[in-house]
Amino acid sequence: MIGEKPKGLRAHLTLTYPALMLGIFFIVPFGLMAAVSFFHRQPGGFYIPGFELTNYKNLYTALFGRTLVFSLFVAGLSAAVCVSIGFPFTYFITRMKRRAQVVWLVLLMSVLSLSEVIVGFAWSLLLSRTAGLSNLFVWLGLMERAVAWYPGFMALLFGICYLAFPYTVLVLYPPLSRLDPALPEAAQTLGASPIRTFFTVVVGSLRNAIVAAFVMVFVFTLGAYLLPQILGRPRHWTLSVLITDAAIYQTNMPLSAAMAIFFMFVSLVLVALTMMIGKRKRIKTV
Amino acid sequence: MSKTLRNIFLGLVLFLLSGPLVVVSGVSLNAKKRLFFPPEGVSMRWYVELLTENSWLIPVKNSLTIAFTSSLLALSIALPLAYFLWRYRVFYARALFTLGISPFILPPVITALGFLSFWVTVGLYGQMAATIISHAIFFVTLPLVTISLGFESIDHEIVEAAETMGADSRMVFRTVIFPMVRPYMISGYAFAYVLSLNEYIVAYMVAGFTVETLPIKIFNSLRYGYTPVMASVTVVFVLLAALIFGLIGRFGDLPKLLGALNPENQ
Amino acid sequence: MPQILIRRFNRAGKSQISIFNDKNSMSGLTLENIDKNFGSVVAVCDVNLLLPDGQFVCFLGPSGCGKTTLLRLIAGLEKPSRGRILLDEEDITHIPAHKRNFGMVFQSLALFPHLTVGENVTYSLRVRKTGKTARRQRARELLDLVKLSGLIDRHISQLSGGQRQRVAMARALAIEPRLFLLDEPLSALDAKLREDMQLELRMLQQRLAVTTILVTHDQREAMTMSDLVVVMGPDNRVHQMGSPLEIYRNPADTFVADFIGTSNLLDGTCSGPRDVTVGGARLEISEMPDGMIPDTKVTVSVRPEEVHVLPGTEEGANRLHGSVSFVRDVGSSVEIYLDCNGLQIVSQSTPKGRPAVRQGDQATAVLPASACVVLRS
Ligand SMILES: Nc1ncnc2c1ncn2[C@@H]1O[C@H](COP(=O)(O)OP(=O)(O)OP(=O)(O)O)[C@@H](O)[C@H]1O
Ligand SMILES: [Mg+2]
């Protein structure tokens, strides 16, 4: 019964509904967005169908360029931070007893599910003058008086990392939990210290998983939209903010669609590049 | 030595993960309408306000309705697709599966903008139905992945065993396949539900001005004047998520759902 | 049940083997010209079998020879690419698995993890809409049968390997199946438990008198348990079918001779109606296959325990001379390896009957005429 070829219409009936739903509500919107990026803007309304490259030409501004570079920079930096903390963290978790593992995973899932707005709000509180961490430091005698640590670049970085950290762990969890426990043990019987084992054997054998995780987290953090507005200054706004603004506040959907398409294109190229570098490295070391 | 190091590291991560939540829960207990931590005086009035003030109740109701229906819809799309893919290994089912997981991988703005263009064109921009369907598609990844895991866990010989014992394919589905994937369906539903409750950008783009969801409401209050109700909402959200995932962790196989291949519990 | 073994060769030289019981009533399972291909892979090739009722049959052969596929064809889980399957002369080739009323035990056991032991055991009754109380009653009977009384409400995950094995058997027997099929159900068990289960399975089968087919690649299991052994070869064909003793004593070809136990396989040529020449020595043969003309190339198969070794060089028929190249004493038996001008001959004897030879000695191997089986090369 399993693994055979589907025969006739009846077998395919099962697939019809999901195919229709995904086709109508995902492919069509996507195609539409791509089309809209070539449409003509109608001030006050949404768009007039047509074909022009004006929207793409309008991307060529200092603001767009700066925002694009900044978005990629923040995403890359926070992905690097998340993976370098998340990898040892996930490794420790996967070596724990099942019960402890479940407790950590529940905590991580709960944090993961938090809305960006909630994360932003929580961090803005934590970094605020009246309710923040600096009060704790004053109380401990480490600081003279409480200060506000946001808005600013560091606040934004913390917020994004907090948002992306559970996601990073989730991406790293399957490969790490499937890592043969005999591997690090074998290294230790050969005389490697636990720390050395971790870096040589665990990191070494999972280099591909690390690259993949970096890419996933990078794309995930590219999506940050509210945090830059809550924790950053206007110069820290990312492309997501720009795209939404263009669509909603300037009701310039063609421009916004062009930005989105361009954005997607750039991130896909970067992802492909990262993957290629990851592969080349592997070939060199092997 | 390395064990202490490990514990310090884990402690630090725990501190960073829970720090913001601790501060928020503290703030939510403030007696006055000020955001102070540690709280000045303890009161539950912000929780009461959350449940009595219409300006908060309506978004709560919107969010719950959207989360409930959209995850149900997501489940209804994911189940037949995952079943078909498990039963017939054909390329177009696999392609559809890839399509189903891509909304979760693309930067959300892009998907959100796609939805916006679509609903504007169709004329449903600003309707709750638009938000519901958009969320269903946006989060279909979660039930799709979990249910597929569930199907993968059914050995083909189990199905054949049922057949040799006299069950036709409908009976096999009812008595073997469905009961075996049910826990995975519940988890997938729960994942989608929690994430839909917390989703901002799609809801905002598709119907942000007419159908206010809780995240939208929180962001709006963040812009136009703070109130501790925001903190109490956050606490409720965290607790709800912790409760749901705690239940999955207690009754389901959370490590396996998240991709571990552990035969530990056998 | 007295049986007549009929063995005949058709024109193509393929042996067609069947066993009829004396009423000659064809009741049983018949496979006719069965082929099964998966794409370009040939899984089962040209199988013709007649399995009489009430027998314990083993499908024996090396890995990948198509045993599982043949069993699945019988169960209706695969459709043959060619040929027919008949049960009591009724064509069941196109009847789906769920309408065949057979019981099958899978290699992985395939117990339902979401059901209790009792629910597993009576699943086939549930499918047939039997009431709850009747099901529970039957579950008790079945669990008594496999000595698992009292475990009715356990979950599958709470059982040991041997207990799961029994649950799987009880489950397959719940509806008193017309055929009881087992695919290497014992291969995952440790040696001791495995032997216990073999014995129990055999007793169970005799008590219920149900026609049983067991797939195995363990020849000891096949030889000790079954009434009939079907030997399949790496060419995915059936090479021989017969009682274990028959197969051991009279292997149909060199593959069977080699696969079942160990055998001395000696190349030679036919030199007379009852003579074969091997390595320059003349062997008298008690029973020659039909149609052997002089100068036919043949292989002579002799079991090591039939070979006697005498010290020194002794002339005579059925004797080969050589030097002892190796003596292996494993306690319960002694093996002597003789090198007879390039021909290697192994002899096996009990420690009591151990010949007085040592490594390097000249010795004579005696191959009794009745023990030499002549096979076409
Ligand atoms: N579904 C399938 N698709 C393709 N080839 C198959 C399939 N099932 C079996 N085969 C092939 O058919 C041949 C016979 O397989 P089968 O499983 O019957 O062997 P077997 O005798 O049971 O071996 P084993 O002792 O290892 O279980 C093998 O070459 C196998 O690779
Ligand atoms: Mg097999």
Side-chain angles (χ1 to χ4, degrees), chain A residues 136-159:
Chain A
L136 181 69
F137 291 161
V138 171
W139 184 75
L140 287 172
L142 294 171
M143 280 169 66
E144 289 275 299
R145 64 199 147 75
V147 291
W149 278 326
Y150 92 99
F153 180 70
M154 283 314 280
L156 176 60
L157 194 64
F158 267 95

Side-chain angles (χ1 to χ4, degrees), chain A residues 95 245 274 277:
Chain A
R95 305 296 114 173
D245 264 12
T274 320
I277 292 170

Side-chain angles (χ1 to χ4, degrees), chain C residues 266-269 276-283 319-321 340-341 343:
Chain C
L266 311 170
D267 291 331
T269 41
V276 173
T277 312
V278 169
R282 195 178 65 84
L283 295 183
R319 281 162 169 72
L320 281 114
H321 308 298
C340 308
N341 298 328
L343 275 178

Side-chain angles (χ1 to χ4, degrees), chain B residues 157 160 163-167 175, chain C residues 72 98 108 114 123 127-128:
Chain B
E157 287 200 342
E160 290 175 348
E163 285 182 61
T164 57
M165 281 184 279
T175 56
Chain C
R72 290 169 58 84
H98 68 270
S108 68
H114 61 295
Y123 180 83
V127 168
R128 288 169 178 77

Side-chain angles (χ1 to χ4, degrees), chain B:
Chain B
M1 163 63 192
S2 63
K3 200 143 213 172
T4 349
L5 227 68
R6 186 196 83 145
N7 288 340
I8 291 174
F9 177 73
L10 287 176
L12 213 61
V13 172
L14 184 64
F15 174 75
L16 283 172
L17 279 181
S18 54
L21 306 180
V22 171
V23 173
V24 172
S25 11
V27 167
S28 74
L29 296 173
N30 264 315
K32 294 200 198 113
K33 194 174 170 129
R34 301 277 301 273
L35 303 175
F36 270 119
F37 185 83
E40 302 188 326
V42 172
S43 101
M44 296 296 284
R45 60 181 277 212
W46 309 113
Y47 289 89
V48 175
E49 189 167 313
L50 170 66
L51 296 173
T52 50
E53 287 261 329
N54 252 345
S55 65
W56 285 99
L57 259 185
I58 291 172
V60 167
K61 236 176 66 199
N62 281 344
S63 275
L64 291 177
T65 314
I66 291 168
F68 178 81
T69 39
S70 69
S71 5
L72 214 56
L73 197 58
L75 195 65
S76 78
I77 298 170
L79 182 64
L81 178 50
Y83 173 71
F84 193 89
L85 185 63
W86 169 71
R87 190 166 160 182
Y88 312 107
R89 298 240 149 234
V90 282
F91 74 92
Y92 44 86
R94 218 178 284 258
L96 216 54
F97 181 85
T98 313
L99 193 65
I101 59 173
S102 43
F104 209 66
I105 292 172
L106 289 172
V109 199
I110 295 174
T111 318
L113 195 67
F115 286 139
L116 174 63
S117 338
F118 181 75
W119 296 119
V120 163
T121 310
V122 176
L124 283 176
Y125 172 71
Q127 306 283 314
M128 191 189 264
T131 316
I132 290 173
I133 296 177
S134 304
H135 268 191
I137 300 293
F138 191 56
F139 291 121
V140 77
T141 311
L142 299 155
L144 192 56
V145 169
T146 50
I147 296 175
S148 294
L149 270 174
F151 277 120
E152 293 307 321
S153 76
I154 303 177
D155 195 296
H156 290 184
E157 287 200 342
I158 284 192
V159 174
E160 290 175 348
E163 285 182 61
T164 57
M165 281 184 279
D168 58 16
S169 49
R170 186 172 297 175
M171 191 76 179
V172 172
F173 189 85
R174 202 164 61 75
T175 56
V176 179
I177 297 172
F178 187 74
M180 280 182 78
V181 293
R182 193 166 37 207
Y184 296 88
M185 287 168 59
I186 294 171
S187 316
Y189 181 83
F191 284 147
Y193 183 86
V194 172
L195 287 176
S196 165
L197 271 188
N198 282 283
E199 204 282 332
Y200 179 88
I201 192 158
V202 170
Y204 176 65
M205 286 260 227
V206 166
F209 297 113
T210 43
V211 184
E212 200 180 27
T213 62
L214 257 181
I216 297 176
K217 170 70 183 167
I218 299 175
F219 188 55
N220 287 342
S221 348
L222 209 57
R223 277 187 181 173
Y224 310 117
Y226 281 71
T227 148
V229 180
M230 290 156 46
S232 57
V233 166
T234 305
V235 171
V236 170
F237 264 56
V238 174
L239 289 182
L240 191 66
L243 176 75
I244 289 176
F245 292 117
L247 284 176
I248 295 178
R250 173 75 187 75
F251 295 107
D253 192 345
L254 197 56
K256 183 170 174 189
L257 280 174
L258 299 181
L261 273 181
N262 56 336
E264 220 180 318
N265 51 345
Q266 299 204 335

Side-chain angles (χ1 to χ4, degrees), chain C residues 63-64 66-69 107 183-184 215 217:
Chain C
S63 188
K67 307 178 295 287
T68 298
T69 307
Q107 188 159 8
D183 187 3
E184 305 200 30
V215 163
H217 59 244

